Amino acid sequence: MLPTTRKLDFSEVPIIDISPSRFATLESRKRLADELAEACATVGFLYLKNHPVPQEQIDGVFEVAKAFFALPQEAKDAVSMARNRHFQGYLPMLTKGQGNAERGGVITANKQEAFQFRRPLDPDDPDLATGARLAGVIPWPKELPKLKEVLLAYHARMCRFGESMIELFELGLDLPKDAIRQHFRKDMNALRIIHYPPQQVDESGAHLGTRAHTDTDAFTFVYQDETGGLEIRNKDGEWIGVPPIPGTYVLNIGEVMKVWTDGVFSSTPHRVINRYGKERYSVPFFMFPTYEEVIVPKIKNPDPSNVAPEDFHTSMPRDKPFVWGEFKEANYARINPTAAERAMAE
């Protein structure tokens, strides 16, 4: 049987208004930043309403996402991530998920298909020529040229959105301006479109839409369709549903931000189970630092007991500096969807 969950009590995942008026003065920005910081420390998940991304642009992303996943399988396989070494492109159904491992170190395959890419590089970028730092040409499908146009525009918009949130995090943590922003000089911000087929209640539960994990970025924006399926594990160990609220993004804290804040911000385990009898589509945007950034705490946690249980931590070091890109490259390599692994999953 599929794992059970309960409906969300909205007092558990706050809804934060980020209307332009809240940015009008330093005082109003500080109030907003403190509200955001409180939610990130206590829950690690929150809804953002009155955000700056036009609904028509979001709708356009979902339109091309559905068109991409409707392409013939051979067209999707032609842009498969398995065909390159920079981990961009199509991820077929039952690929091992990204993020960190389940309890006991077992990484199960996800019942989803996806397409992902990172910040596009200029044609004369030296990393693009050498393939260093996970650099490579994004493999766009020739059958759907609109996908590139729509997703690149959305990626650029979300980078700007992310920068505005970084400013609030710095303010809410009482950090100097650019204390966090400096780590995104040449970011690896990634956009992913995901398709989840419906799952039957009497399935074994061996493969979930997205297995339980915490994200390995600084923070993630997720726009859900109306289907639902996102679930989080609260501090009491319960799994609760985080249903879509029209017009809102879900924002969650990743492990990098958890390290930067020495565990003050909570990186909450989450999963996706599409138990609602119809296709589900989701568009997460990941805020990743520059490849060569050295990740260390920026503040000292006054209450280390607030740190989430160790069994959901990644292999990301928390007690010594590490190079972000080296960690992420190793993390990608653990789940690289080779043909042999796909055959075993099937």
Side-chain angles (χ1 to χ4, degrees):
M1 299 290 288
L2 289 178
T4 58
T5 189
R6 70 170 174 81
K7 291 183 178 181
L8 173 74
D9 175 351
F10 283 103
S11 65
E12 295 175 273
V13 179
I15 303 172
I16 295 182
D17 187 342
I18 55 171
S19 301
S21 61
R22 303 203 69 185
F23 291 82
T25 67
L26 178 58
E27 291 76 15
S28 63
R29 289 200 303 275
K30 179 59 174 170
R31 287 194 296 271
L32 173 57
D34 288 346
E35 186 178 342
L36 182 69
E38 176 70 15
C40 292
T42 56
V43 184
F45 264 76
L46 53 111
Y47 293 95
L48 297 174
K49 69 176 183 178
N50 297 321
H51 56 77
V53 185
Q55 188 61 48
E56 58 267 26
Q57 184 171 24
I58 296 169
D59 293 342
V61 171
F62 277 88
E63 180 182 333
V64 296
K66 293 176 182 179
F68 172 76
F69 293 119
L71 289 174
Q73 190 62 44
E74 57 269 25
K76 293 182 287 189
D77 288 340
V79 295
S80 172
M81 187 183 295
R83 294 174 176 265
N84 63 65
R85 294 181 177 272
H86 48 88
F87 305 101
Q88 298 184 99
Y90 173 65
L91 282 158
M93 197 71 67
L94 294 179
T95 295
K96 288 182 179 180
Q98 296 174 30
N100 44 36
E102 293 268 14
R103 297 175 198 243
V106 177
I107 303 177
T108 57
N110 289 331
K111 199 164 186 179
Q112 58 162 264
E113 56 179 338
F115 179 89
Q116 70 175 37
F117 67 93
R118 291 184 298 281
R119 187 174 73 89
L121 300 174
D122 294 332
D124 59 351
D125 189 291
D127 288 344
L128 201 58
T130 63
R133 297 178 177 85
L134 292 172
V137 176
I138 302 167
W140 299 103
K142 64 179 186 301
E143 295 86 354
L144 188 61
K146 190 177 181 181
L147 186 77
K148 178 179 179 179
E149 173 192 350
V150 171
L151 294 192
L152 285 181
Y154 184 74
H155 186 284
R157 171 85 67 169
M158 294 305 295
C159 284
R160 296 193 296 272
F161 189 8
E163 289 173 3
S164 70
M165 299 306 296
I166 287 173
E167 293 177 4
L168 291 174
F169 287 135
E170 291 170 343
L171 192 58
L173 291 164
D174 294 323
L175 290 170
K177 181 176 173 57
D178 294 332
I180 294 175
R181 179 69 186 88
Q182 65 177 319
H183 298 293
F184 291 82
R185 289 185 299 267
K186 187 180 179 181
D187 63 72
M188 298 173 68
N189 295 344
L191 175 62
R192 186 180 304 161
I193 55 174
I194 310 175
H195 166 227
Y196 299 90
Q199 295 193 248
Q200 302 303 313
V201 175
D202 58 356
E203 287 185 27
S204 68
H207 301 297
L208 304 182
T210 301
R211 61 181 173 74
H213 68 289
T214 51
D215 290 352
T216 57
D217 60 350
F219 56 97
T220 307
F221 296 101
V222 179
Y223 204 95
Q224 309 181 72
D225 70 4
E226 71 284 355
T227 302
L230 177 61
E231 302 172 1
I232 66 172
R233 197 184 75 164
N234 66 17
K235 293 184 184 300
D236 294 326
E238 297 177 289
W239 284 100
I240 59 175
V242 184
I245 299 176
T248 68
Y249 279 91
V250 173
L251 183 147
N252 68 274
I253 295 300
E255 292 287 335
V256 169
M257 186 68 80
K258 185 174 180 178
V259 173
W260 279 337
T261 63
D262 198 26
V264 170
F265 280 7
S266 178
S267 182
T268 302
H270 52 285
R271 68 190 184 191
V272 174
I273 305 177
N274 182 5
R275 43 175 115 238
Y276 302 102
K278 56 183 179 179
E279 309 301 313
R280 179 184 190 266
Y281 299 88
S282 178
V283 181
F285 184 84
F286 303 91
M287 293 292 295
F288 288 127
T290 306
Y291 185 100
E292 62 269 19
E293 294 305 313
V294 177
I295 308 298
V296 294
K298 294 182 170 295
I299 62 174
K300 183 172 180 58
N301 189 348
D303 181 16
S305 66
N306 188 45
V307 177
E310 289 292 331
D311 56 5
F312 268 100
H313 282 174
T314 69
S315 55
M316 187 179 294
R318 291 183 47 77
D319 56 353
K320 61 182 179 180
F322 67 96
V323 176
W324 157 251
E326 292 175 358
F327 163 80
K328 191 58 185 174
E329 195 158 5
N331 179 254
Y332 276 138
R334 288 192 307 129
I335 53 86
N336 185 23
T338 64
E341 287 175 331
R342 289 202 302 273
M344 290 179 64
E346 294 168 358

